[in-house]
Structure formats: structure tokens, C-alpha cells
Amino acid sequence: MIDLWVLTVGRDPFDIRKIHNFANWLLDIGEGKVGGSNDGEVIIDVPDDILINDPHDPIDSLIEFVYPSILEKINVTSYFQERAILAPKNEVVQQINDRLLALFPGDEVEYLSSDSLCQLVFVHDQFDPNLYSPDILNGLKVSGLPNHKLILKVGVPVMLLRNIDQKNGLCNGTRLQVKALGKHVIQAIIISRTNIGKQTFIPRMSLSPSGKKIPFKFQRRQFPLAVCFAMTINKSHGQSLSNVDLYLKDPVFSHG
């Protein structure tokens, strides 16, 4: 299911008509009105103007569309407020973010987490904590948890991965722009949801994964942030975005 918010105020009438036609086309696909009668499978012609036409470097095409003249807009906070590249999987999102982070000027600052096993009841009775060295824990990448290695630059957009202060707009999914990178805190400005433009400071936090895919409990002390030039489709829910590309690298409408 796709949620579509369309902002038409101040737009050219031709653009408004194109947006309405696109919205109606999406609705017709959802209601099974495109492609004629079928038994659950049908081939749909996608308009050329919404396809990525560069088979050699599709990510470069995405960047040119969503982030044109990005090197000239680094210090313009509003530039990042309503722009994002969306993809279904974290691995693809990471690939896009790494590409844009490399393009971004300035020195990289690397933050490494401190990972440790929690001294709690383990899922398996025969669990041996000695099997899980710090290197193994560092290599774990879990949805909703910052990676062991977090690389940032001043000016990049980031997303908050935990609720810190809901009253002041620091919620899971809030996007910010980095203004200063300290050893113990990161200074940033809120660029989405409530309190846009407000300066804040993000500390390191001790975090544990909430899912049950890992048969033991561990704790990661890291800044609860992730670079977010690109984000997963799930993370985009509730965001106000007007300039978006959707990167479907692999088939997404099949089982699994």
C-alpha cells in the first residue's frame, strides 16, 4: 500500500494535472483496473518518465534527480527537509548513503560503538557467552540499531533511531542535519516533523535490539543516528517529502 500526499499550492496547472493523473494511475493499479482481466498476474506498462533509464549507474541517476547541485546547497537546511531516496531494504539504503557521504565535502569523523553481552536469561539453555567475541558483536547489523561504525560529516542529514525527547520533537524517525561533531555529543538541527529549525544535542546511548532474531541479548553504546540521504520505505511513513525517488533494485511484489 502506498500513501500519497500531494502538495499543489503554487504549482503550475500542467504539473498539477500530471500529479493527479499519476495518483489516479496508482489507484487504478491498486484496484486491478490496469492490464485488463487477469487471474492475479498481469504485465503493466510503466511510463518512461518515472523510470530510471541508466542501466549502468542507476544510483547516480537517483542522486541527480533528488539531490541536484548538492555541493552548492550544503549549508541550506531547507534543501534536505523534503528530499529522500527510498528503497525497500537496509542494504540498498546503506549503499546509497555511502555513495552520497563520499561525495559530501569535509572530513569524516568515525564513531565506534562499545558492544557487550547483557547478563540476562538467554534463549538457549546451553548458551556459551565465550562464543561471541567483541568482533562478532561489532559485526551485527540489526534493524533499528545504529551500526558499530558510524561515519559522519558536518552538514549531512541523519535520522534519529530512538525516542529521546518526544516533547521537543526528538522521536524515532526524526531527521536532523549535523552542525558539529564532538567526542561525546553531536550538535544538530531538526529538519522534520515538529520543532523544525531547533538546535539540539544528541548523546551516546546504551541500546539493545528489540527483535527476537538474535538468540541472545546484547547492548550497544553508540549515537542513535544513521545517515539518511536515503531511507527505507517503512522509515518514510509520516515524513513530508516532495522530491522523492523510489529505488526498486530487486523484485518487490513477489513472495519473500
PDB file of all heavy atoms in Angstrom, residues 195-230:
ATOM      1  N   ASN A 195       9.111  21.154  15.670  1.00  0.00           N
ATOM      2  CA  ASN A 195      10.280  21.917  16.117  1.00  0.00           C
ATOM      3  C   ASN A 195      11.365  22.030  15.050  1.00  0.00           C
ATOM      4  O   ASN A 195      12.569  21.995  15.353  1.00  0.00           O
ATOM      5  CB  ASN A 195      10.873  21.316  17.392  1.00  0.00           C
ATOM      6  CG  ASN A 195       9.940  21.443  18.584  1.00  0.00           C
ATOM      7  OD1 ASN A 195       9.226  22.428  18.709  1.00  0.00           O
ATOM      8  ND2 ASN A 195       9.932  20.452  19.449  1.00  0.00           N
ATOM      9  N   ILE A 196      10.961  22.155  13.785  1.00  0.00           N
ATOM     10  CA  ILE A 196      11.932  22.328  12.698  1.00  0.00           C
ATOM     11  C   ILE A 196      12.757  23.593  12.948  1.00  0.00           C
ATOM     12  O   ILE A 196      12.218  24.651  13.276  1.00  0.00           O
ATOM     13  CB  ILE A 196      11.222  22.404  11.337  1.00  0.00           C
ATOM     14  CG1 ILE A 196      10.611  21.046  10.979  1.00  0.00           C
ATOM     15  CG2 ILE A 196      12.175  22.862  10.231  1.00  0.00           C
ATOM     16  CD1 ILE A 196       9.807  21.050   9.693  1.00  0.00           C
ATOM     17  N   GLY A 197      14.068  23.483  12.794  1.00  0.00           N
ATOM     18  CA  GLY A 197      14.961  24.609  12.992  1.00  0.00           C
ATOM     19  C   GLY A 197      15.530  24.706  14.392  1.00  0.00           C
ATOM     20  O   GLY A 197      16.433  25.513  14.634  1.00  0.00           O
ATOM     21  N   LYS A 198      15.035  23.865  15.304  1.00  0.00           N
ATOM     22  CA  LYS A 198      15.530  23.919  16.680  1.00  0.00           C
ATOM     23  C   LYS A 198      16.846  23.169  16.806  1.00  0.00           C
ATOM     24  O   LYS A 198      17.006  22.073  16.290  1.00  0.00           O
ATOM     25  CB  LYS A 198      14.502  23.308  17.631  1.00  0.00           C
ATOM     26  CG  LYS A 198      14.900  23.404  19.101  1.00  0.00           C
ATOM     27  CD  LYS A 198      13.806  22.878  20.024  1.00  0.00           C
ATOM     28  CE  LYS A 198      14.213  23.002  21.485  1.00  0.00           C
ATOM     29  NZ  LYS A 198      13.162  22.528  22.403  1.00  0.00           N
ATOM     30  N   GLN A 199      17.788  23.782  17.507  1.00  0.00           N
ATOM     31  CA  GLN A 199      19.087  23.144  17.745  1.00  0.00           C
ATOM     32  C   GLN A 199      18.980  22.147  18.890  1.00  0.00           C
ATOM     33  O   GLN A 199      18.273  22.373  19.870  1.00  0.00           O
ATOM     34  CB  GLN A 199      20.125  24.203  18.070  1.00  0.00           C
ATOM     35  CG  GLN A 199      21.509  23.670  18.363  1.00  0.00           C
ATOM     36  CD  GLN A 199      22.503  24.779  18.657  1.00  0.00           C
ATOM     37  OE1 GLN A 199      23.061  25.379  17.762  1.00  0.00           O
ATOM     38  NE2 GLN A 199      22.718  25.059  19.931  1.00  0.00           N
ATOM     39  N   THR A 200      19.683  21.037  18.766  1.00  0.00           N
ATOM     40  CA  THR A 200      19.660  20.020  19.814  1.00  0.00           C
ATOM     41  C   THR A 200      21.014  19.323  19.893  1.00  0.00           C
ATOM     42  O   THR A 200      21.861  19.495  19.012  1.00  0.00           O
ATOM     43  CB  THR A 200      18.550  18.977  19.552  1.00  0.00           C
ATOM     44  OG1 THR A 200      18.436  18.105  20.672  1.00  0.00           O
ATOM     45  CG2 THR A 200      18.862  18.155  18.294  1.00  0.00           C
ATOM     46  N   PHE A 201      21.205  18.541  20.945  1.00  0.00           N
ATOM     47  CA  PHE A 201      22.448  17.795  21.132  1.00  0.00           C
ATOM     48  C   PHE A 201      22.096  16.327  21.362  1.00  0.00           C
ATOM     49  O   PHE A 201      21.244  16.006  22.198  1.00  0.00           O
ATOM     50  CB  PHE A 201      23.234  18.339  22.327  1.00  0.00           C
ATOM     51  CG  PHE A 201      23.728  19.749  22.126  1.00  0.00           C
ATOM     52  CD1 PHE A 201      22.940  20.830  22.493  1.00  0.00           C
ATOM     53  CD2 PHE A 201      24.965  19.985  21.544  1.00  0.00           C
ATOM     54  CE1 PHE A 201      23.389  22.124  22.306  1.00  0.00           C
ATOM     55  CE2 PHE A 201      25.425  21.281  21.357  1.00  0.00           C
ATOM     56  CZ  PHE A 201      24.631  22.355  21.730  1.00  0.00           C
ATOM     57  N   ILE A 202      22.748  15.445  20.621  1.00  0.00           N
ATOM     58  CA  ILE A 202      22.474  14.013  20.705  1.00  0.00           C
ATOM     59  C   ILE A 202      23.634  13.323  21.415  1.00  0.00           C
ATOM     60  O   ILE A 202      24.784  13.412  20.973  1.00  0.00           O
ATOM     61  CB  ILE A 202      22.292  13.393  19.298  1.00  0.00           C
ATOM     62  CG1 ILE A 202      21.260  14.187  18.491  1.00  0.00           C
ATOM     63  CG2 ILE A 202      21.897  11.933  19.418  1.00  0.00           C
ATOM     64  CD1 ILE A 202      19.877  14.208  19.090  1.00  0.00           C
ATOM     65  N   PRO A 203      23.358  12.624  22.526  1.00  0.00           N
ATOM     66  CA  PRO A 203      24.433  11.931  23.261  1.00  0.00           C
ATOM     67  C   PRO A 203      24.540  10.474  22.823  1.00  0.00           C
ATOM     68  O   PRO A 203      23.667   9.943  22.122  1.00  0.00           O
ATOM     69  CB  PRO A 203      23.929  12.003  24.706  1.00  0.00           C
ATOM     70  CG  PRO A 203      22.430  11.888  24.547  1.00  0.00           C
ATOM     71  CD  PRO A 203      22.079  12.587  23.256  1.00  0.00           C
ATOM     72  N   ARG A 204      25.604   9.826  23.221  1.00  0.00           N
ATOM     73  CA  ARG A 204      25.692   8.371  23.073  1.00  0.00           C
ATOM     74  C   ARG A 204      24.675   7.728  24.022  1.00  0.00           C
ATOM     75  O   ARG A 204      24.400   8.246  25.105  1.00  0.00           O
ATOM     76  CB  ARG A 204      27.088   7.860  23.425  1.00  0.00           C
ATOM     77  CG  ARG A 204      28.171   8.228  22.416  1.00  0.00           C
ATOM     78  CD  ARG A 204      29.496   7.639  22.856  1.00  0.00           C
ATOM     79  NE  ARG A 204      30.602   8.058  22.035  1.00  0.00           N
ATOM     80  CZ  ARG A 204      31.060   7.385  20.981  1.00  0.00           C
ATOM     81  NH1 ARG A 204      30.484   6.244  20.630  1.00  0.00           N
ATOM     82  NH2 ARG A 204      32.088   7.824  20.285  1.00  0.00           N
ATOM     83  N   MET A 205      24.149   6.569  23.593  1.00  0.00           N
ATOM     84  CA  MET A 205      23.168   5.868  24.412  1.00  0.00           C
ATOM     85  C   MET A 205      23.460   4.379  24.405  1.00  0.00           C
ATOM     86  O   MET A 205      24.045   3.852  23.446  1.00  0.00           O
ATOM     87  CB  MET A 205      21.746   6.104  23.875  1.00  0.00           C
ATOM     88  CG  MET A 205      21.289   7.544  23.898  1.00  0.00           C
ATOM     89  SD  MET A 205      19.650   7.750  23.167  1.00  0.00           S
ATOM     90  CE  MET A 205      18.656   6.763  24.288  1.00  0.00           C
ATOM     91  N   SER A 206      23.056   3.702  25.470  1.00  0.00           N
ATOM     92  CA  SER A 206      23.154   2.238  25.513  1.00  0.00           C
ATOM     93  C   SER A 206      21.855   1.664  24.965  1.00  0.00           C
ATOM     94  O   SER A 206      20.781   1.892  25.533  1.00  0.00           O
ATOM     95  CB  SER A 206      23.393   1.764  26.951  1.00  0.00           C
ATOM     96  OG  SER A 206      24.646   2.228  27.420  1.00  0.00           O
ATOM     97  N   LEU A 207      21.949   0.921  23.863  1.00  0.00           N
ATOM     98  CA  LEU A 207      20.766   0.435  23.144  1.00  0.00           C
ATOM     99  C   LEU A 207      20.824  -1.076  23.001  1.00  0.00           C
ATOM    100  O   LEU A 207      21.894  -1.662  22.844  1.00  0.00           O
ATOM    101  CB  LEU A 207      20.703   1.080  21.757  1.00  0.00           C
ATOM    102  CG  LEU A 207      20.810   2.621  21.719  1.00  0.00           C
ATOM    103  CD1 LEU A 207      21.075   3.083  20.295  1.00  0.00           C
ATOM    104  CD2 LEU A 207      19.545   3.255  22.257  1.00  0.00           C
ATOM    105  N   SER A 208      19.656  -1.699  23.023  1.00  0.00           N
ATOM    106  CA  SER A 208      19.547  -3.145  22.800  1.00  0.00           C
ATOM    107  C   SER A 208      18.514  -3.386  21.707  1.00  0.00           C
ATOM    108  O   SER A 208      17.508  -2.662  21.630  1.00  0.00           O
ATOM    109  CB  SER A 208      19.119  -3.872  24.080  1.00  0.00           C
ATOM    110  OG  SER A 208      20.109  -3.753  25.067  1.00  0.00           O
ATOM    111  N   PRO A 209      18.722  -4.376  20.834  1.00  0.00           N
ATOM    112  CA  PRO A 209      17.747  -4.669  19.786  1.00  0.00           C
ATOM    113  C   PRO A 209      16.432  -5.154  20.379  1.00  0.00           C
ATOM    114  O   PRO A 209      16.420  -5.874  21.380  1.00  0.00           O
ATOM    115  CB  PRO A 209      18.426  -5.757  18.949  1.00  0.00           C
ATOM    116  CG  PRO A 209      19.437  -6.365  19.860  1.00  0.00           C
ATOM    117  CD  PRO A 209      19.882  -5.276  20.776  1.00  0.00           C
ATOM    118  N   SER A 210      15.327  -4.752  19.757  1.00  0.00           N
ATOM    119  CA  SER A 210      14.009  -5.124  20.277  1.00  0.00           C
ATOM    120  C   SER A 210      13.476  -6.409  19.659  1.00  0.00           C
ATOM    121  O   SER A 210      12.567  -7.032  20.205  1.00  0.00           O
ATOM    122  CB  SER A 210      13.011  -3.989  20.017  1.00  0.00           C
ATOM    123  OG  SER A 210      12.970  -3.659  18.630  1.00  0.00           O
ATOM    124  N   GLY A 211      14.028  -6.834  18.525  1.00  0.00           N
ATOM    125  CA  GLY A 211      13.551  -8.048  17.860  1.00  0.00           C
ATOM    126  C   GLY A 211      14.070  -9.315  18.513  1.00  0.00           C
ATOM    127  O   GLY A 211      14.876  -9.285  19.446  1.00  0.00           O
ATOM    128  N   LYS A 212      13.584 -10.463  18.001  1.00  0.00           N
ATOM    129  CA  LYS A 212      13.970 -11.755  18.571  1.00  0.00           C
ATOM    130  C   LYS A 212      14.748 -12.621  17.573  1.00  0.00           C
ATOM    131  O   LYS A 212      14.837 -13.833  17.724  1.00  0.00           O
ATOM    132  CB  LYS A 212      12.715 -12.500  19.027  1.00  0.00           C
ATOM    133  CG  LYS A 212      11.975 -11.783  20.147  1.00  0.00           C
ATOM    134  CD  LYS A 212      10.760 -12.580  20.623  1.00  0.00           C
ATOM    135  CE  LYS A 212      10.050 -11.858  21.760  1.00  0.00           C
ATOM    136  NZ  LYS A 212       8.858 -12.606  22.238  1.00  0.00           N
ATOM    137  N   LYS A 213      15.310 -11.976  16.547  1.00  0.00           N
ATOM    138  CA  LYS A 213      16.065 -12.729  15.555  1.00  0.00           C
ATOM    139  C   LYS A 213      17.412 -13.198  16.090  1.00  0.00           C
ATOM    140  O   LYS A 213      17.989 -14.157  15.574  1.00  0.00           O
ATOM    141  CB  LYS A 213      16.263 -11.879  14.290  1.00  0.00           C
ATOM    142  CG  LYS A 213      14.974 -11.595  13.533  1.00  0.00           C
ATOM    143  CD  LYS A 213      15.251 -10.829  12.246  1.00  0.00           C
ATOM    144  CE  LYS A 213      13.962 -10.599  11.463  1.00  0.00           C
ATOM    145  NZ  LYS A 213      14.209  -9.860  10.202  1.00  0.00           N
ATOM    146  N   ILE A 214      17.924 -12.514  17.098  1.00  0.00           N
ATOM    147  CA  ILE A 214      19.209 -12.886  17.690  1.00  0.00           C
ATOM    148  C   ILE A 214      18.931 -13.636  18.989  1.00  0.00           C
ATOM    149  O   ILE A 214      18.186 -13.144  19.842  1.00  0.00           O
ATOM    150  CB  ILE A 214      20.062 -11.636  17.966  1.00  0.00           C
ATOM    151  CG1 ILE A 214      20.335 -10.888  16.655  1.00  0.00           C
ATOM    152  CG2 ILE A 214      21.376 -12.008  18.624  1.00  0.00           C
ATOM    153  CD1 ILE A 214      21.081  -9.592  16.826  1.00  0.00           C
ATOM    154  N   PRO A 215      19.497 -14.828  19.165  1.00  0.00           N
ATOM    155  CA  PRO A 215      19.151 -15.687  20.315  1.00  0.00           C
ATOM    156  C   PRO A 215      19.826 -15.294  21.621  1.00  0.00           C
ATOM    157  O   PRO A 215      20.027 -16.126  22.490  1.00  0.00           O
ATOM    158  CB  PRO A 215      19.623 -17.066  19.847  1.00  0.00           C
ATOM    159  CG  PRO A 215      20.787 -16.776  18.979  1.00  0.00           C
ATOM    160  CD  PRO A 215      20.441 -15.497  18.246  1.00  0.00           C
ATOM    161  N   PHE A 216      20.223 -14.040  21.752  1.00  0.00           N
ATOM    162  CA  PHE A 216      20.822 -13.569  22.993  1.00  0.00           C
ATOM    163  C   PHE A 216      20.634 -12.064  23.074  1.00  0.00           C
ATOM    164  O   PHE A 216      20.305 -11.399  22.086  1.00  0.00           O
ATOM    165  CB  PHE A 216      22.313 -13.929  23.069  1.00  0.00           C
ATOM    166  CG  PHE A 216      23.127 -13.405  21.918  1.00  0.00           C
ATOM    167  CD1 PHE A 216      23.672 -12.126  21.955  1.00  0.00           C
ATOM    168  CD2 PHE A 216      23.352 -14.188  20.789  1.00  0.00           C
ATOM    169  CE1 PHE A 216      24.412 -11.633  20.896  1.00  0.00           C
ATOM    170  CE2 PHE A 216      24.086 -13.706  19.726  1.00  0.00           C
ATOM    171  CZ  PHE A 216      24.620 -12.427  19.778  1.00  0.00           C
ATOM    172  N   LYS A 217      20.827 -11.526  24.253  1.00  0.00           N
ATOM    173  CA  LYS A 217      20.694 -10.091  24.464  1.00  0.00           C
ATOM    174  C   LYS A 217      22.079  -9.443  24.472  1.00  0.00           C
ATOM    175  O   LYS A 217      22.990  -9.938  25.132  1.00  0.00           O
ATOM    176  CB  LYS A 217      20.011  -9.813  25.807  1.00  0.00           C
ATOM    177  CG  LYS A 217      18.566 -10.289  25.901  1.00  0.00           C
ATOM    178  CD  LYS A 217      17.642  -9.366  25.154  1.00  0.00           C
ATOM    179  CE  LYS A 217      16.182  -9.758  25.383  1.00  0.00           C
ATOM    180  NZ  LYS A 217      15.252  -8.860  24.687  1.00  0.00           N
ATOM    181  N   PHE A 218      22.211  -8.352  23.716  1.00  0.00           N
ATOM    182  CA  PHE A 218      23.464  -7.601  23.798  1.00  0.00           C
ATOM    183  C   PHE A 218      23.157  -6.115  23.809  1.00  0.00           C
ATOM    184  O   PHE A 218      22.051  -5.686  23.472  1.00  0.00           O
ATOM    185  CB  PHE A 218      24.416  -7.990  22.671  1.00  0.00           C
ATOM    186  CG  PHE A 218      24.148  -7.315  21.355  1.00  0.00           C
ATOM    187  CD1 PHE A 218      24.913  -6.226  20.937  1.00  0.00           C
ATOM    188  CD2 PHE A 218      23.150  -7.784  20.510  1.00  0.00           C
ATOM    189  CE1 PHE A 218      24.676  -5.616  19.715  1.00  0.00           C
ATOM    190  CE2 PHE A 218      22.907  -7.183  19.292  1.00  0.00           C
ATOM    191  CZ  PHE A 218      23.674  -6.093  18.895  1.00  0.00           C
ATOM    192  N   GLN A 219      24.132  -5.355  24.195  1.00  0.00           N
ATOM    193  CA  GLN A 219      23.969  -3.921  24.363  1.00  0.00           C
ATOM    194  C   GLN A 219      25.010  -3.181  23.528  1.00  0.00           C
ATOM    195  O   GLN A 219      26.167  -3.580  23.492  1.00  0.00           O
ATOM    196  CB  GLN A 219      24.144  -3.560  25.845  1.00  0.00           C
ATOM    197  CG  GLN A 219      23.951  -2.095  26.172  1.00  0.00           C
ATOM    198  CD  GLN A 219      24.012  -1.866  27.668  1.00  0.00           C
ATOM    199  OE1 GLN A 219      23.021  -1.971  28.368  1.00  0.00           O
ATOM    200  NE2 GLN A 219      25.206  -1.573  28.181  1.00  0.00           N
ATOM    201  N   ARG A 220      24.572  -2.136  22.853  1.00  0.00           N
ATOM    202  CA  ARG A 220      25.472  -1.335  22.021  1.00  0.00           C
ATOM    203  C   ARG A 220      25.415   0.126  22.475  1.00  0.00           C
ATOM    204  O   ARG A 220      24.331   0.721  22.496  1.00  0.00           O
ATOM    205  CB  ARG A 220      25.090  -1.451  20.552  1.00  0.00           C
ATOM    206  CG  ARG A 220      25.854  -0.525  19.604  1.00  0.00           C
ATOM    207  CD  ARG A 220      25.669  -0.933  18.166  1.00  0.00           C
ATOM    208  NE  ARG A 220      26.346  -2.201  17.904  1.00  0.00           N
ATOM    209  CZ  ARG A 220      26.184  -2.918  16.793  1.00  0.00           C
ATOM    210  NH1 ARG A 220      25.353  -2.503  15.845  1.00  0.00           N
ATOM    211  NH2 ARG A 220      26.843  -4.051  16.631  1.00  0.00           N
ATOM    212  N   ARG A 221      26.558   0.646  22.856  1.00  0.00           N
ATOM    213  CA  ARG A 221      26.623   2.059  23.241  1.00  0.00           C
ATOM    214  C   ARG A 221      27.130   2.862  22.043  1.00  0.00           C
ATOM    215  O   ARG A 221      28.286   2.754  21.635  1.00  0.00           O
ATOM    216  CB  ARG A 221      27.534   2.245  24.450  1.00  0.00           C
ATOM    217  CG  ARG A 221      27.510   3.681  25.000  1.00  0.00           C
ATOM    218  CD  ARG A 221      28.127   3.779  26.391  1.00  0.00           C
ATOM    219  NE  ARG A 221      28.053   5.144  26.911  1.00  0.00           N
ATOM    220  CZ  ARG A 221      26.970   5.700  27.441  1.00  0.00           C
ATOM    221  NH1 ARG A 221      25.852   4.990  27.503  1.00  0.00           N
ATOM    222  NH2 ARG A 221      26.979   6.949  27.892  1.00  0.00           N
ATOM    223  N   GLN A 222      26.226   3.678  21.478  1.00  0.00           N
ATOM    224  CA  GLN A 222      26.530   4.386  20.245  1.00  0.00           C
ATOM    225  C   GLN A 222      25.568   5.569  20.122  1.00  0.00           C
ATOM    226  O   GLN A 222      24.527   5.625  20.792  1.00  0.00           O
ATOM    227  CB  GLN A 222      26.374   3.433  19.046  1.00  0.00           C
ATOM    228  CG  GLN A 222      26.607   4.024  17.680  1.00  0.00           C
ATOM    229  CD  GLN A 222      28.003   4.558  17.458  1.00  0.00           C
ATOM    230  OE1 GLN A 222      28.353   5.608  18.022  1.00  0.00           O
ATOM    231  NE2 GLN A 222      28.817   3.875  16.652  1.00  0.00           N
ATOM    232  N   PHE A 223      25.901   6.514  19.257  1.00  0.00           N
ATOM    233  CA  PHE A 223      24.950   7.577  18.949  1.00  0.00           C
ATOM    234  C   PHE A 223      23.767   6.969  18.188  1.00  0.00           C
ATOM    235  O   PHE A 223      23.984   6.232  17.218  1.00  0.00           O
ATOM    236  CB  PHE A 223      25.610   8.657  18.091  1.00  0.00           C
ATOM    237  CG  PHE A 223      26.652   9.458  18.822  1.00  0.00           C
ATOM    238  CD1 PHE A 223      28.008   9.198  18.646  1.00  0.00           C
ATOM    239  CD2 PHE A 223      26.276  10.475  19.698  1.00  0.00           C
ATOM    240  CE1 PHE A 223      28.967   9.933  19.315  1.00  0.00           C
ATOM    241  CE2 PHE A 223      27.238  11.211  20.378  1.00  0.00           C
ATOM    242  CZ  PHE A 223      28.586  10.939  20.198  1.00  0.00           C
ATOM    243  N   PRO A 224      22.517   7.261  18.592  1.00  0.00           N
ATOM    244  CA  PRO A 224      21.344   6.636  17.951  1.00  0.00           C
ATOM    245  C   PRO A 224      20.983   7.311  16.637  1.00  0.00           C
ATOM    246  O   PRO A 224      19.871   7.820  16.449  1.00  0.00           O
ATOM    247  CB  PRO A 224      20.244   6.839  19.006  1.00  0.00           C
ATOM    248  CG  PRO A 224      20.625   8.123  19.674  1.00  0.00           C
ATOM    249  CD  PRO A 224      22.133   8.145  19.714  1.00  0.00           C
ATOM    250  N   LEU A 225      21.932   7.311  15.708  1.00  0.00           N
ATOM    251  CA  LEU A 225      21.772   8.033  14.445  1.00  0.00           C
ATOM    252  C   LEU A 225      22.166   7.160  13.264  1.00  0.00           C
ATOM    253  O   LEU A 225      22.964   6.233  13.394  1.00  0.00           O
ATOM    254  CB  LEU A 225      22.640   9.293  14.435  1.00  0.00           C
ATOM    255  CG  LEU A 225      22.368  10.371  15.498  1.00  0.00           C
ATOM    256  CD1 LEU A 225      23.454  11.435  15.456  1.00  0.00           C
ATOM    257  CD2 LEU A 225      20.998  10.996  15.279  1.00  0.00           C
ATOM    258  N   ALA A 226      21.600   7.493  12.109  1.00  0.00           N
ATOM    259  CA  ALA A 226      22.002   6.872  10.847  1.00  0.00           C
ATOM    260  C   ALA A 226      21.941   7.937   9.759  1.00  0.00           C
ATOM    261  O   ALA A 226      21.030   8.782   9.762  1.00  0.00           O
ATOM    262  CB  ALA A 226      21.082   5.708  10.492  1.00  0.00           C
ATOM    263  N   VAL A 227      22.898   7.925   8.850  1.00  0.00           N
ATOM    264  CA  VAL A 227      22.871   8.840   7.705  1.00  0.00           C
ATOM    265  C   VAL A 227      21.589   8.580   6.925  1.00  0.00           C
ATOM    266  O   VAL A 227      21.179   7.424   6.736  1.00  0.00           O
ATOM    267  CB  VAL A 227      24.104   8.626   6.809  1.00  0.00           C
ATOM    268  CG1 VAL A 227      24.036   9.514   5.577  1.00  0.00           C
ATOM    269  CG2 VAL A 227      25.382   8.909   7.599  1.00  0.00           C
ATOM    270  N   CYS A 228      20.917   9.643   6.452  1.00  0.00           N
ATOM    271  CA  CYS A 228      19.624   9.412   5.780  1.00  0.00           C
ATOM    272  C   CYS A 228      19.414  10.251   4.527  1.00  0.00           C
ATOM    273  O   CYS A 228      18.353  10.833   4.336  1.00  0.00           O
ATOM    274  CB  CYS A 228      18.465   9.583   6.754  1.00  0.00           C
ATOM    275  SG  CYS A 228      18.088  11.281   7.182  1.00  0.00           S
ATOM    276  N   PHE A 229      20.425  10.303   3.659  1.00  0.00           N
ATOM    277  CA  PHE A 229      20.142  10.766   2.302  1.00  0.00           C
ATOM    278  C   PHE A 229      19.085   9.837   1.705  1.00  0.00           C
ATOM    279  O   PHE A 229      18.196  10.252   0.976  1.00  0.00           O
ATOM    280  CB  PHE A 229      21.404  10.701   1.432  1.00  0.00           C
ATOM    281  CG  PHE A 229      22.491  11.651   1.832  1.00  0.00           C
ATOM    282  CD1 PHE A 229      23.619  11.197   2.505  1.00  0.00           C
ATOM    283  CD2 PHE A 229      22.409  12.996   1.518  1.00  0.00           C
ATOM    284  CE1 PHE A 229      24.637  12.053   2.855  1.00  0.00           C
ATOM    285  CE2 PHE A 229      23.433  13.879   1.864  1.00  0.00           C
ATOM    286  CZ  PHE A 229      24.540  13.400   2.537  1.00  0.00           C
ATOM    287  N   ALA A 230      19.221   8.551   2.033  1.00  0.00           N
ATOM    288  CA  ALA A 230      18.252   7.531   1.632  1.00  0.00           C
ATOM    289  C   ALA A 230      17.718   6.864   2.890  1.00  0.00           C
ATOM    290  O   ALA A 230      18.395   6.830   3.930  1.00  0.00           O
ATOM    291  CB  ALA A 230      18.897   6.498   0.717  1.00  0.00           C
TER     292      ALA A 230
END
